[in-house]
Structures are given as structure tokens and as C-alpha cells.
């Protein structure tokens, strides 16, 4: 393995080459980036920050080796900085404070997806030295600690839907400066080009794959004070409050990338914090609140930073995702000073819409100088302000709604502002009963939690929609939402889905040119002579309603009755005719000779003008009640299919004392539980609904009763399952003490201390060789002693469960399944005397051994020649050569092999040994 080779190599050569370590490259910080550039082809960038002083030209790394994770590696060249030595390779970028930045780039094509379950490659870089004097690594002796970076490139099982991945880009360098007793802020400023969600966490720096650097301490652990060193898992912002000691500290940040909840990769940044102790204080940036912007709008924000030292000059800079965009990137202009001022300006476009916020980090840096023998050295302090911006989709505009005989026709502005964007996924149409005039906040997207119903089963790309589901008498609000998402490589899977700001609402209702049904009220409950009262309104005349000129008399109502909620098998049950509109007065009917006890009924009224159909009401059903029995309670549930809105329901129960129904509660859902009842007694109920139409043209409330329904509470609830523990006597017996012991498992259980255990009369004990095959073992009467002894013949391993039975016969669920294992015992002596005196003539284990059905044993003489072998756990070696049958001479013999313990999961192989002190030797002593 890679680590084993490196570790042994370093140990063996460390003493020889220790004097040469000063000529190796010494690393401060770094990371690896990777980018998808083709089919399984990736470009990797290794970025390192090294120490300049004390490094020879020969030791400076013009190239480094990168390991691709598929068993291959490649030497890649440095690409940054000037080429001062003329060797064709740039020298790197020299920075202040003895730091050089090195950038190496290479490409690699992978053979495909690694076989399951791995499905990932680890891209890594390794070198043998860090800089010396890192306080929190190996007590400061860090020069000989290897420097290791890695990224994990993952391929999800659903790659065709999820897609390939590129790593995030970290826009701020991994070296930063702090000052003793001043709060330190840092943000790697990660930008993910794919728009994936990032998760940040701190880990110890690594010296090789899965191997932390030695004696690592997080910066807050290093300081003796109550320091706080944290990282924001969402933004990556690091806060250290406060550094307590001058020195160099390294940390590592692991970043996970997620797409639709699937982890696509990780990267590790190894970062260095240089803590100075100077009479200076960092500048301060005024708070910039997180915000959102609708695509197409311009975001303009003023930024201001000041320094408590008025002599300091503060410089403001900004970086982040908005500046990396190829289309309409953000701009930042600033003026240095004290205060320093800057202006962030971003003309957003539809291409910027995405689910994840964009991250911008403002940086204020002072110009503090420290005098030195070679002139002043810049040791600036900084302040950071992390700012998140959500770019959201603008609303659909100019929505209109027109009522027609076929429903409500919606239209909206064509084209939509962002319909030409590649990630545009169409529109959804939403409806809410009643007129809803809410105005979305500027940053509010979607209609979740607003009480709207989505009418479109899939998004539409047209600019019109007809809703045929409307009911005459109700008023409706409509809104339209635009949708955006990215597509998987196969085009079948969407991720990073976002919704636009909802459109303004439009309120509308259909003309009341047909009857509107008001009541379906059960007035008598009976299997053959039930009654239901039905009431409706006549159409309204004039305006946008019924035109009596186009629809002349005579007028007629036909009332139909159907079975159940779905209006099955409708039949005409009543007709009413009028010669003029004003003569239409009879709009009620009592339906008799019905079975209202076992089924609901539905009704619909048709309206005719001069024998031509004008229209009809929406189907309306009676309220139908069901009652389910339980222990000392009854669970009521009901259902209805009506065109109006039912706001609440009163529950009535028959009072046997006054022979009347009394209201016992109000429900706002379709369920109610009546508790505290007496089992085996009869209780009768009905429901009264309170409803309304949203148009004020109709009476309120609309009152309708269900049929009466009776039930008897009985105990149908099983007891709660007990809690079980199982023990045995293994710890009490060993060696000869086990000879006469029984194989017994002791069961003990307890019940929950509440009403669900109050009527337990019996327990069932279940047993199985494993948890998948449990069978009834015994039945026990309930008593205070909740214990049980299970005596077995040759085995203790098995699984148990206990259930509780109440007086009705309800059985609880299984208790916790408790599995207990054997306690094998197999110990060998270290001597025997095969001299025929009947005492200790055979070599065998100490008796009684237990739960060892098989061994594999070989015995050798001192020349390594086998003299005996067996699979019998009794062994019974008589001191003779098994091949020749001749007695062997006195001496020490070596044995080796395995014995097999019988456990609940099968046989477990273990090495043979001698007595409890170990061994593997047998002293054969015949005596004289």
C-alpha cells in the first residue's frame, strides 16, 4: 500500500537524510481542484503554498506527482509565475512574508466507474515535509511531518440522473493572518460552478490517506483560555475568538458537495493561520444583510469599513460567485481610506437563477507596517463580511381570468421574462377558494403553505389554461408560478429546482345562471323509511347571470338522486315546472323511503328553458358517519361530497336521561374521538356540518346533518409490549464448577406503568435459534413475578420475546427481541503423564469444556515434525506418534491450530492456546 511504503521508507532513511531536509520543499498550505472536461476526463489543479527561504533551487518543485486513485499517477508541471531560470517551467508566484504560491495542472481520463461498492476515486498529492514550527502539529516539530491533500471524486449509483461533478473553487487563499486577542475571521469563499450545495466541517490535517498528523490540536484546544474556534457548515466562515498566542497554526477544512441530497464528492483544504502579536486592531466592515434579487433587477449595495487606528489606510475588496459568471458578472469598485467605501453592482439576468445562494466575501485590510532590519514589513489585519445573495425568478405578469360556460379561462403575458432561459421548465397554475388578495414579499417564492391547490399535474408551456372544475356559487383566486431546474445528462431528472415569485392573484366567479344546491340534510335515519331534505336556489336573472330573453319559459327543474358519494345510477325523483321566471318558487324536496342507515345519497338539479337544458347544479351528497369501537372510546369519522365549503362540524350524542341528542364537541376536521366511555354500552351520534359558499349571494351557514349511527366501545387495543432482558449463569461457573450446572437462560420483563398494562392476564414467551424464526415457547398467567427460566440441554444461544395478553384476548406486539449468546469455554493444560497409571494418561482440555464442537489441532516435536493431528475437541492424545504408533520420548511439544466456538451466528474460529497465560507447549512427562 502507498502509506506502508512511504512510512517504512521515511523511517529507514530519516536518520540518513535528516541533514538534507532543509533542502526539501516545505509546505504551508494547499488544496486540489478538479474539473470535468470530457467523458470521464478530468483536469486536476494542485495548488500549494510553500516556504521560500532555506529551499535550494534544486529542491524547488517545478513538478509534482499526482495520484489519480485508479492505480496510476502522473508528474505534472507548474504553470504560474515567470520563468527566470530559463528551464521552460514557471517559477511560481512569490508573495510577501516568505510565501510562494505554486499551481500545477494535469489531465487524466478514467477507465470508467469503479466497481461497487466503491464507486469513487481519491485524487491525492503527497510530499514529505511541512514547514517547521507549526504550533499545533507534533508540538511544533512539524518539519518532518508529511503534507497530504486529497479529493474524493464520487459516481452516484444513479449517475445518468444525477450527473458528473466538478469540485468547488475556493476564491480566498489558504493562508491568512490573525492577531493575539483580536477575533479572527476567514472564509474560503467557495464557489460551485454546478450550483451544488456545500457542507463545511473541520478535520485534522492529514499526513497520508486516513492518517492524521501526530499530536494535533485544534487552535482553541491549544490555547489555555476558553477559546472558540468554529466553522459555519453552510457558508464556510471560520471564527476564532480569540487567538491567545503568537505562532503558526494549521487547520483542515473538508467540503462535501450535495446534489438533490446525494453526495458527489469531497475536497480537503489544508490551511495556515499566522498569528502575530502587534499593537494593531483589525478594521471593521459595517454589516451587510443577506438579501435576494429578482432576475432582471439590479442589485446595488454600498459597503463601508473603518479602522480604529485613524492613521491606517483601509483597502476594500470583494470576491465570490457573482464575479465568476461569464454572463453579466458583478462589479465592485472601492476607494481606499479610513473609512474605505465600496459599491457592489450586479445587473442580474435569468441565467443567474438557481436554488443555492451566491456567496460574496468583502475583505477590509489595513496597512500596518512592522519595522525591521531590512525595512518595514507589511503585517496587515483584516475583517471579513460574508454575504449571501439569492437570485430568484420574477413573477408571471398580467394574469387575467374570464368566466365561461365551460369554466374559467386564464391568460398571462406572453412571453414570460425568463422563458428563453435554458433551465426554464414551464408554468404551474394554482387555485384557492375565496378571494385572496395577499401580495408576495419581494423575496417570496412558490405558494407552499398558502392554501392553494395545484391544478396542473405537470408544468405547461402555453400561456393559457382553462379550469373546468369550478362550482357556481364559489369565488376563486388564481395564480401562476414559473419553474426552473437543471437537467441530468439523460434529460430525465431535474435538480436544483426553484419556483418563481407567484403572480398577482386574480379573483373570479362563474355567473349564477344555473341552480345552486344548498342542503342535503338527513332528517330521519332508517334502513327503509329514511328521509333527506334537499334545497336549491333558482338561477339569478339579469346582468351576467340568466338571460330570460335568450332562455324563455316555461322553466323546469329535474331533481336526480344517485347512490353513494359518486352519484352512481342516478334516477329522476322530482320535477317542478313554472310558466314564468317569477313563478319559480318551489326549490325544496323531501326524499322519502330511503335507506339512510347504510349508505349516503347524492343529488343534482337540472334546469330547463323551453325544454332546452340550460345547466345543472354540482352534485352534493349527504354527510355519512362511521363509528369505530375501541377500548372505552369510540372513533367517529365522516365524509361528504359537496360544492360548498364546510368550516366546522358539531358532534351530537344521544342522552339516555333526557332522550335527546346533546352537542359534545366541535371538530374542524373529519374526525372526533369520544373518550371516557363504558365498555359494552351503546352510544348513538350524528354530525351537523356548518358550511358556506364564498359568494355572499347565498345564505350562511348551510346546516346539514348526517344519519344517526350507534356503536359499542369494546377493548380492541392490545396491551403495550413488555421490556425484556435475558441473562444466564456463565459468569458464575467455570472449570469444574460447570460440570453439574444446568443450561439456563433467565428472562425478566417489565410493563409500562400506565393504563395499557392494567388488564394483562397472561404472557406468551417466544423462543428461536435466531430472531427470524420465533415460536411460542410457553404461556404464563400474569402475576407480580415477571420472570421465566428456560432450561436447555446443550445450548444457551437463542432469541426471546414476550407478549402480553389482556382479558379480551388482545395480544401486544413483541417486546424487544433479546438475543443471548453462548459462553464457550475451552482451555488446554500444559502437561500430561502418559505412563499407564490411569492418572492423566491422555492429553485433553480441562473438563468440562463447553460449546466447542470442533477443533483443528496439530502437535509437533522440537524438529517441527508432526506427530499428532485431530478435529475432536476431546483430543485424547496418548503421547504416541500417530503415524508409527510408538511412544514418544519425554520433552516439550508444540501445538498449533484452531478451535470453533458455537455462537448464535454460527461457528467462530479462534486460535488454540494453552492456559490462561497463553502458551502452545505441552510437557510430555512419563516419569519412572
Amino acid at each position: 500500500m502507498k502509506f506502508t511504503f512511504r512510512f517504512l521508507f521515511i523511517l529507514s532513511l530519516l536518520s540518513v537524510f535528516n541533514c538534507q531536509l532543509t533542502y526539501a520543499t516545505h509546505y504551508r498550505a494547499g488544496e486540489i481542484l478538479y474539473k470535468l472536461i470530457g467523458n470521464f476526463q478530468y483536469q486536476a489543479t494542485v495548488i500549494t503554498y510553500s516556504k521560500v527561504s532555506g529551499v535550494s533551487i534544486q529542491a524547488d518543485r517545478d513538478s509534482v506527482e499526482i495520484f489519480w486513485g485508479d492505480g496510476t499517477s502522473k508528474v505534472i508541471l507548474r504553470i504560474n509565475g515567470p520563468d527566470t531560470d530559463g528551464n521552460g517551467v514557471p517559477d511560481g508566484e512569490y508573495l510577501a512574508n516568505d510565501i510562494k504560491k505554486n499551481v500545477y495542472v494535469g489531465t487524466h481520463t478514467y477507465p470508467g466507474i469503479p466497481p461497487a461498492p466503491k464507486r469513487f476515486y481519491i485524487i491525492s498529492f503527497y510530499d514529505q515535509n511541512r514547514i517547521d514550527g507549526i504550533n499545533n502539529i507534533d508540538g511544533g516539530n512539524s518539519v518532518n511531518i508529511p503534507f497530504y491533500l486529497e479529493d474524493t471524486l464520487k459516481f452516484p449509483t444513479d449517475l445518468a440522473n444525477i450527473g458528473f461533478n466538478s469540485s468547488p473553487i475556493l476564491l480566498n487563499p489558504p493562508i491568512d493572518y490573525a492577531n493575539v486577542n483580536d477575533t479572527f475571521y476567514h472564509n474560503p469563499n467557495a464557489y460551485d460552478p454546478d450550483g451544488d450545495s456545500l457542507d463545511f466541517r473541520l478535520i485534522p490535517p492529514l499526513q497520508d490517506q486516513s492518517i492524521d498528523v501526530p499530536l494535533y490540536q485544534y487552535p482553541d484546544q491549544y490555547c489555555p483560555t476558553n477559546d472558540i474556534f468554529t466553522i459555519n457548515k453552510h457558508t464556510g466562515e471560520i471564527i476564532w475568538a480569540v487567538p491567545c498566542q503568537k505562532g503558526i497554526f494549521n487547520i483542515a477544512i473538508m467540503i462535501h458537495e450535495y446534489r438533490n441530497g446525494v453526495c458527489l464528492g469531497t475536497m480537503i483544504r489544508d490551511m495556515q493561520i499566522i498569528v502575530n502579536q502587534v499593537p494593531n486592531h483589525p478594521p471593521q466592515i459595517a454589516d451587510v444583510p443577506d438579501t435576494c434579487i429578482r432576475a432582471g433587477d439590479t442589485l446595488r449595495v454600498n459597503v463601508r469599513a473603518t479602522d480604529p487606528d485613524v492613521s491606517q489606510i483601509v483597502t476594500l475588496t470583494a470576491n465570490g460567485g457573482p464575479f465568476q459568471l461569464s454572463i453579466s458578472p458583478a462589479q465592485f469598485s472601492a476607494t481606499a481610506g479610513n473609512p474605505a467605501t465600496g459599491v457592489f453592482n450586479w445587473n442580474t439576468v435569468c441565467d443567474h437563477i438557481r436554488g443555492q445562494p451566491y456567496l460574496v466575501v468583502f475583505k477590509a485590510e489595513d496597512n500596518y507596517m512592522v519595522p525591521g532590519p531590512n525595512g518595514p514589513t507589511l503585517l496587515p489585519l483584516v475583517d471579513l463580511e460574508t454575504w449571501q445573495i439569492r437570485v430568484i425568478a420574477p413573477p408571471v405578469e398580467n394574469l387575467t381570468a374570464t368566466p365561461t360556460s365551460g369554466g374559467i379561462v386564464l391568460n398571462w403575458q406572453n412571453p414570460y421574462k425568463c422563458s428563453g432561459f435554458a433551465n426554464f421548465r414551464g408554468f404551474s397554475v394554482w387555485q384557492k377558494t375565496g378571494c385572496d388578495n395577499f401580495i408576495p414579499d419581494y423575496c417570496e417564492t412558490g405558494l407552499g403553505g398558502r392554501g392553494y391547490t395545484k391544478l396542473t399535474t405537470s408544468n405547461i408551456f402555453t400561456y393559457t389554461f382553462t379550469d373546468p372544475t369550478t362550482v357556481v356559487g364559489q369565488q376563486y383566486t388564481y395564480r401562476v408560478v414559473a419553474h426552473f431546474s437543471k437537467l441530468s445528462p439523460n434529460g430525465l431528472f431535474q435538480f436544483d429546482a426553484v419556483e418563481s415569485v407567484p403572480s398577482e392573484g386574480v379573483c373570479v366567479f362563474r355567473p349564477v345562471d344555473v341552480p345552486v344546491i344548498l342542503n342535503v340534510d338527513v332528517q330521519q335515519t332508517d334502513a327503509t323509511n329514511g328521509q333527506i331534505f334537499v334545497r336549491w336556489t333558482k338561477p339569478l336573472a339579469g346582468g351576467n347571470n340568466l338571460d330570460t330573453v335568450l332562455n324563455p319559459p316555461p322553466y323546469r327543474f329535474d331533481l336526480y338522486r344517485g347512490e353513494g358519494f359518486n352519484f352512481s345510477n342516478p334516477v329522476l325523483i322530482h320535477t317542478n315546472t313554472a310558466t314564468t321566471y317569477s313563478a319559480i318558487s318551489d326549490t325544496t324536496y323531501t326524499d322519502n323511503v330511503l335507506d339512510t342507515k347504510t349508505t349516503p345519497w347524492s343529488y343534482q338539479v337540472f334546469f330547463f328553458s323551453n325544454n332546452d337544458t340550460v345547466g345543472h347544479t354540482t352534485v352534493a351528497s349527504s354527510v355519512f358517519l362511521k363509528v369505530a369501537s375501541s377500548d372505552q372510546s369510540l372513533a367517529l369519522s365522516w365524509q361528504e361530497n359537496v360544492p360548498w365549503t364546510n368550516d366546522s362540524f358539531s358532534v351530537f350524542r344521544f342522552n339516555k336521561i333526557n332522550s335527546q341528542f346533546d352537542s359534545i364537541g366541535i371538530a374542524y376536521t373529519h374526525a372526533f374521538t369520544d373518550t371516557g366511555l363504558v365498555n359494552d354500552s351503546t352510544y348513538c351520534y350524528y354530525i351537523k356540518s356548518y358550511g358556506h359558499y364564498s359568494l355572499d349571494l347565498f345564505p350562511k351557514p348551510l346546516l346539514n346533518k348526517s344519519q344517526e349511527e350507534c356503536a359499542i366501545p369494546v377493548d380492541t387495543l392490545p396491551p403495550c409490549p413488555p421490556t425484556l432482558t435475558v441473562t444466564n449463569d456463565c459468569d458464575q461457573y467455570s472449570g469444574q464448577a460447570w460440570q453439574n450446572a444446568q443450561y439456563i437462560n433467565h428472562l425478566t420483563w417489565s410493563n409500562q406503568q400506565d393504563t395499557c398494562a392494567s388488564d394483562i392476564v397472561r404472557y406468551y414467551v417466544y423462543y428461536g435459534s435466531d430472531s427470524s424464526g420465533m415460536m411460542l415457547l410457553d404461556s404464563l398467567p400474569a402475576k407480580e413475578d415477571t420472570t421465566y427460566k428456560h432450561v436447555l440441554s446443550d445450548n444457551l444461544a437463542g432469541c426471546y420475546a414476550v407478549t402480553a395478553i389482556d382479558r379480551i384476548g388482545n395480544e401486544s406486539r413483541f417486546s424487544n427481541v433479546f438475543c443471548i449468546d453462548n459462553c464457550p469455554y475451552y482451555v488446554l493444560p500444559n502437561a500430561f503423564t502418559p505412563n499407564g497409571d490411569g492418572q492423566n494418561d491422555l492429553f485433553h482440555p480441562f473438563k468440562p469444556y463447553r460449546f466447542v464442537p470442533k477443533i483443528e489441532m496439530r502437535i509437533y516435536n522440537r524438529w517441527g515434525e508432526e506427530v499428532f493431528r485431530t478435529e475432536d475437541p476431546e483430543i485424547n492424545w496418548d503421547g504416541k506418534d500417530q503415524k508409527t504408533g510408538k511412544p514418544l520420548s519425554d520433552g516439550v511439544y508444540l501445538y498449533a491450530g484452531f478451535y470453533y466456538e458455537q455462537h448464535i451466528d454460527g461457528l467462530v474460529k479462534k486460535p488454540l492456546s494453552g492456559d490462561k497465560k497463553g502458551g502452545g507447549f505441552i510437557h510430555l512427562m512419563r516419569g519412572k
Side-chain angles (χ1 to χ4, degrees):
M1 292 178 62
K2 179 176 65 175
F3 168 70
T4 301
F5 170 75
R6 290 176 182 158
F7 184 71
L8 294 177
F9 180 79
I10 291 171
L11 285 181
S12 60
L13 299 184
L14 184 59
S15 60
V16 177
F17 294 116
N18 189 53
C19 61
Q20 301 180 14
L21 289 179
T22 55
Y23 300 105
T25 298
H26 294 181
Y27 289 101
R28 295 179 178 272
E31 69 230 13
I32 301 173
L33 311 178
Y34 62 84
K35 179 173 69 174
L36 177 70
I37 59 175
N39 189 26
F40 287 97
Q41 186 179 27
Y42 286 84
Q43 180 187 82
T45 302
V46 178
I47 303 174
T48 65
Y49 290 76
S50 57
K51 183 180 179 182
V52 178
S53 61
V55 178
S56 68
I57 296 177
Q58 295 80 6
D60 185 32
R61 300 279 196 265
D62 286 342
S63 62
V64 296
E65 185 177 13
I66 186 171
F67 297 85
W68 299 107
D70 60 355
T72 66
S73 64
K74 184 178 182 179
V75 174
I76 57 177
L77 299 177
R78 186 164 52 199
I79 64 167
N80 67 317
D83 178 17
T84 58
D85 56 7
N87 67 349
V89 180
D91 301 336
E93 180 183 356
Y94 289 89
L95 307 175
N97 299 320
D98 202 21
I99 300 170
K100 184 167 76 167
K101 179 181 179 181
N102 310 281
V103 180
Y104 309 87
V105 176
T107 61
H108 181 67
T109 301
Y110 286 98
I113 301 175
K118 182 182 176 185
R119 299 188 70 89
F120 64 85
Y121 296 110
I122 296 179
I123 306 171
S124 62
F125 164 75
Y126 173 94
D127 213 322
Q128 64 185 26
N129 295 107
R130 295 175 179 266
I131 69 166
D132 197 15
I134 300 176
N135 292 36
N136 58 335
I137 295 179
D138 200 18
N141 301 312
S142 53
V143 67
N144 294 326
I145 306 303
F147 181 79
Y148 176 79
L149 302 170
E150 73 171 36
D151 289 357
T152 303
L153 174 59
K154 296 188 176 185
F155 299 90
T157 54
D158 199 8
L159 181 63
N161 284 334
I162 299 297
F164 291 87
N165 182 53
S166 297
S167 73
I169 301 168
L170 306 185
L171 301 174
N172 281 340
I175 293 185
D176 212 341
Y177 298 89
N179 194 38
V180 172
N181 295 328
D182 282 316
T183 301
F184 168 77
Y185 298 92
H186 175 83
N187 196 311
N189 202 355
Y191 169 66
D192 192 281
D194 301 322
D196 297 326
S197 175
L198 303 180
D199 176 271
F200 302 83
R201 63 191 66 176
L202 295 171
I203 64 170
L206 301 180
Q207 61 176 326
D208 211 316
Q209 184 176 328
S210 302
I211 302 177
D212 299 344
V213 296
L215 302 179
Y216 181 73
Q217 292 178 298
Y218 288 101
D220 58 336
Q221 297 171 334
Y222 186 87
C223 292
T225 59
N226 295 323
D227 276 11
I228 298 174
F229 193 94
T230 61
I231 188 168
N232 186 306
K233 67 175 297 184
H234 302 295
T235 66
E237 183 176 69
I238 292 171
I239 299 177
W240 185 3
V242 290
C244 65
Q245 182 175 336
K246 181 180 179 180
I248 300 173
F249 298 83
N250 270 57
I251 64 171
I253 304 170
M254 174 172 279
I255 305 172
H256 288 76
E257 292 180 82
Y258 292 93
R259 185 177 301 165
N260 266 36
V262 177
C263 183
L264 294 179
T266 63
M267 70 176 296
I268 294 177
R269 160 176 272 197
D270 196 314
M271 176 185 172
Q272 188 164 99
I273 304 171
I274 301 172
V275 181
N276 296 302
Q277 189 168 9
V278 294
N280 187 28
H281 296 288
Q284 304 245 334
I285 302 175
D287 182 53
V288 184
D290 295 341
T291 190
C292 80
I293 186 74
R294 294 179 181 179
D297 292 352
T298 298
L299 181 61
R300 183 182 176 89
V301 173
N302 295 318
V303 185
R304 190 173 188 269
T306 57
D307 195 294
D309 186 345
V310 295
S311 65
Q312 296 288 319
I313 301 298
V314 180
T315 303
L316 263 177
T317 57
N319 208 342
F323 300 98
Q324 309 302 312
L325 300 169
S326 58
I327 300 175
S328 190
Q331 306 292 326
F332 184 71
S333 58
T335 302
N338 194 356
T341 58
V343 178
F344 175 90
N345 197 79
W346 190 13
N347 298 317
T348 62
V349 296
C350 295
D351 293 84
H352 300 157
I353 297 169
R354 71 177 197 176
Q356 294 299 315
Y358 292 87
L359 199 69
V360 173
V361 177
F362 296 108
K363 180 179 180 180
E365 182 174 279
D366 67 20
N367 64 337
Y368 182 78
M369 307 292 290
V370 176
N374 299 319
T377 301
L378 180 65
L379 286 179
L381 292 180
V382 303
D383 184 33
L384 298 181
E385 177 72 13
T386 300
W387 186 38
Q388 294 188 85
I389 309 168
R390 289 174 55 230
V391 179
I392 60 177
V396 169
E397 296 181 331
N398 300 326
L399 176 64
T400 62
T402 304
T404 68
S405 59
I408 306 297
V409 178
L410 305 175
N411 291 281
W412 54 92
Q413 182 171 312
N414 182 3
Y416 169 59
K417 286 182 180 179
C418 293
S419 59
F421 176 41
N423 289 348
F424 174 64
R425 299 289 173 255
F427 305 102
S428 59
V429 180
W430 300 73
Q431 177 209 79
K432 183 178 184 179
T433 302
C435 192
D436 182 25
N437 294 317
F438 97 91
I439 299 175
D441 293 337
Y442 183 84
C443 294
E444 183 174 357
T445 59
L447 286 166
R450 287 287 185 177
Y452 283 77
T453 300
K454 187 177 180 182
L455 299 180
T456 46
T457 55
S458 59
N459 293 346
I460 61 175
F461 290 84
T462 59
Y463 290 82
T464 185
F465 178 82
T466 300
D467 178 14
T469 66
T470 54
V471 172
V472 175
Q474 295 281 33
Q475 193 173 24
Y476 299 96
T477 303
Y478 292 91
R479 295 180 189 266
V480 177
V481 174
H483 295 263
F484 300 81
S485 67
K486 297 179 181 178
L487 284 181
S488 61
N490 62 7
L492 300 177
F493 185 79
Q494 300 182 18
F495 62 94
D496 195 28
V498 295
E499 297 176 316
S500 74
V501 176
S503 71
E504 291 185 357
V506 57
C507 296
V508 66
F509 60 89
R510 286 175 55 184
V512 188
D513 56 358
V514 295
V516 175
I517 200 162
L518 302 177
N519 291 96
V520 181
D521 182 33
V522 178
Q523 300 204 330
Q524 183 169 321
T525 301
D526 195 86
T528 56
N529 292 311
Q531 290 183 353
I532 294 180
F533 172 73
V534 184
R535 179 171 67 128
W536 62 94
T537 66
K538 66 181 182 180
L540 298 180
N544 294 325
N545 301 310
L546 180 68
D547 188 331
T548 56
V549 175
L550 296 177
N551 299 280
Y555 301 108
R556 185 177 88 244
F557 292 117
D558 284 353
L559 175 62
Y560 286 81
R561 179 184 67 224
E563 299 173 3
F565 299 113
N566 298 321
F567 199 59
S568 302
N569 305 314
V571 294
L572 178 64
I573 60 171
H574 175 68
T575 296
N576 179 29
T577 303
T579 57
T580 64
Y581 176 81
S582 60
I584 302 174
S585 59
D586 186 6
T587 56
T588 64
Y589 180 75
T590 300
D591 195 11
N592 297 294
V593 194
L594 292 175
D595 175 10
T596 56
K597 186 173 183 62
T598 62
T599 185
W601 298 95
S602 298
Y603 296 86
Q604 188 172 39
V605 179
F606 281 77
F607 179 62
F608 298 87
S609 164
N610 198 21
N611 293 322
D612 292 328
T613 303
V614 178
H616 55 78
T617 68
T618 305
V619 171
S621 78
S622 60
V623 179
F624 191 74
L625 171 64
K626 294 182 179 180
V627 184
S629 296
S630 189
D631 184 20
Q632 302 178 60
S633 65
L634 292 171
L636 284 67
S637 62
W638 54 93
Q639 184 180 354
E640 76 278 352
N641 178 24
V642 295
W644 58 84
T645 301
N646 279 328
D647 305 298
S648 62
F649 305 88
S650 285
V651 180
F652 289 82
R653 185 179 68 197
F654 185 73
N655 187 328
K656 297 178 183 179
I657 297 176
N658 59 19
S659 298
Q660 292 181 353
F661 279 89
D662 297 333
S663 176
I664 62 170
I666 296 176
Y668 297 94
T669 64
H670 286 72
F672 181 87
T673 300
D674 192 11
T675 59
L677 306 180
V678 178
N679 283 347
D680 304 322
S681 298
T682 300
Y683 296 85
C684 296
Y685 304 86
Y686 73 81
I687 304 297
K688 180 187 287 186
S689 64
Y690 296 77
H692 76 279
Y693 284 102
S694 53
L695 282 180
D696 292 333
L697 302 172
F698 305 101
K700 300 178 183 179
L702 302 178
L703 304 177
N704 293 281
K705 299 187 294 296
S706 74
Q707 90 287 8
E708 298 171 10
E709 183 70 6
C710 300
I712 300 172
V714 294
D715 186 1
T716 60
L717 294 177
C720 297
T723 301
L724 173 66
T725 59
V726 183
T727 60
N728 56 36
D729 297 326
C730 283
D731 294 338
Q732 300 181 29
Y733 301 101
S734 61
Q736 295 297 322
W738 192 266
Q739 186 74 46
N740 300 316
Q742 291 180 303
Y743 291 140
I744 301 176
N745 285 328
H746 303 272
L747 284 65
T748 304
W749 59 91
S750 60
N751 296 306
Q752 295 188 23
Q753 299 301 315
D754 55 25
T755 57
C756 71
S758 61
D759 60 346
I760 295 174
V761 298
R762 183 161 292 275
Y763 295 104
Y764 288 166
V765 179
Y766 291 84
Y767 170 74
S769 59
D770 56 45
S771 59
S772 63
M774 310 278 288
M775 301 292 291
L776 182 63
L777 174 65
D778 208 343
S779 173
L780 309 172
K783 53 184 180 179
E784 293 184 5
D785 182 16
T786 53
T787 63
Y788 181 78
K789 290 183 179 181
H790 186 202
V791 180
L792 300 105
S793 59
D794 58 356
N795 184 29
L796 284 172
C799 295
Y800 296 87
V802 175
T803 61
I805 316 299
D806 66 17
R807 61 185 179 84
I808 303 298
N810 299 309
E811 182 176 6
S812 75
R813 292 181 288 109
F814 270 14
S815 67
N816 55 302
V817 176
F818 198 111
C819 296
I820 192 165
D821 212 341
N822 284 321
C823 45
Y825 177 81
Y826 195 78
V827 177
L828 299 179
N830 58 13
F832 76 121
T833 56
N835 54 15
D837 63 357
Q839 300 292 323
N840 204 20
D841 286 334
L842 297 176
F843 182 79
H844 54 71
F846 288 114
K847 300 291 185 71
Y849 61 88
R850 58 182 184 268
F851 309 127
V852 176
K854 172 186 174 183
I855 68 169
E856 295 173 357
M857 183 180 193
R858 296 185 181 185
I859 300 176
Y860 303 89
N861 62 23
R862 61 179 178 172
W863 294 282
E865 297 170 338
E866 181 182 310
V867 297
F868 182 81
R869 70 164 59 186
T870 185
E871 294 184 359
D872 183 359
E874 290 282 350
I875 304 176
N876 288 333
W877 181 40
D878 58 3
K880 296 179 180 178
D881 189 317
Q882 196 173 42
K883 296 178 182 177
T884 65
K886 296 180 179 180
L888 295 168
S889 60
D890 290 9
V892 177
Y893 292 80
L894 172 68
Y895 65 84
F898 303 90
Y899 69 99
Y900 291 82
E901 294 182 345
Q902 180 181 340
H903 288 277
I904 192 169
D905 295 326
L907 295 180
V908 177
K909 184 178 181 180
K910 292 194 173 183
L912 285 170
S913 61
D915 59 24
K916 293 182 180 180
K917 297 180 180 179
F921 296 93
I922 304 171
H923 292 265
L924 191 157
M925 299 177 290
R926 298 185 185 277
K928 296 183 180 179

